Amino acid sequence: MTGAELAAIRKAAGLSQTALAKRVGIGRHAVSYWETKSEVDRRAWAVDRMAEVLPLPDIPRITRPHAGWADKLEAETKTREAAFRAQVSKWERQQAEAAAKRRVRCGAKTRKGTPCRAKSLPGKRRCKFHGGMSTGARTPEGIERIREAQRRRWARWKAERE
Ligand SMILES: [Zn+2]
């Protein structure tokens, strides 16, 4: 749209430059400015105001090359985000693997009263003698002791219910 075309549209609408300016709340000079331009920028603020009362063409859509560029940028951003997330989960996996293999000083209290100096089982805090491999009581006395403790716990629980 040229400035001359804009002027023609305004005149066809029966509006003077001043009348148009007043109707849409812009300065009269803004109207005359755009009407003298060889190309009217449809996206300009004053022109967009004029479009409220004049049948101006719609704001031109972004042309194909620009749209393609935006799509490419979006795709690249998504690729980078995916790569970052993959890197983070790799670090997390490596940390979990390292933690599963980590061996620390057991430190459990021994019968002598000193901290156990053996290395813990991989990924555990205690050595194989101090709980790391415990699968429960083995001796008849040990088994009976556990049973008795559980009976007492059960009785306490029942008593609290009643
Ligand atoms: Zn130990």
Side-chain angles (χ1 to χ4, degrees):
M1 177 174 54
T2 65
E5 284 169 339
L6 174 62
I9 293 167
R10 173 180 57 75
K11 282 171 194 160
L15 293 167
S16 66
Q17 289 187 342
T18 310
L20 172 61
K22 256 184 137 173
R23 282 274 291 275
V24 299
I26 61 175
R28 185 181 59 80
H29 294 289
V31 180
S32 61
Y33 169 82
W34 284 111
E35 289 186 358
T36 57
K37 297 286 267 186
S38 58
E39 184 64 40
V40 176
D41 182 356
R42 178 60 184 79
R43 277 165 293 206
W45 177 79
V47 178
D48 202 37
R49 297 293 304 156
M50 288 184 230
E52 300 215 331
V53 294
L54 298 180
L56 301 186
D58 286 334
I59 291 175
R61 288 172 53 80
I62 294 166
T63 50
R64 291 294 298 148
H66 286 93
W69 176 80
D71 286 347
K72 203 173 157 216
L73 186 74
E74 200 189 327
E76 276 172 12
T77 304
K78 275 183 181 159
T79 306
R80 265 201 304 277
E81 280 171 357
F84 176 71
R85 274 197 300 274
Q87 184 62 52
V88 168
S89 57
K90 192 181 163 196
W91 284 331
E92 285 172 346
R93 207 161 51 241
Q94 283 172 344
Q95 258 178 338
E97 278 168 19
K101 283 184 212 152
R102 197 172 296 134
R103 302 187 72 179
V104 295
R105 192 58 53 82
C106 170
K109 194 175 173 187
T110 61
R111 282 176 206 171
K112 276 192 278 177
T114 56
C116 172
R117 298 180 61 188
K119 285 234 171 147
S120 71
L121 289 167
K124 299 268 172 67
R125 290 196 56 240
R126 296 298 190 201
C127 74
K128 59 183 173 181
F129 303 116
H130 291 118
M133 267 183 161
S134 176
T135 52
R138 279 289 150 90
T139 63
E141 308 86 74
I143 289 165
E144 188 46 49
R145 202 161 60 230
I146 292 294
R147 260 193 205 140
E148 186 51 40
Q150 278 169 343
R151 265 197 292 271
R152 273 201 299 272
R153 197 177 304 136
W154 175 242
R156 201 162 54 235
W157 183 83
K158 254 176 101 178
E160 278 166 17
R161 296 269 128 166
E162 283 157 6

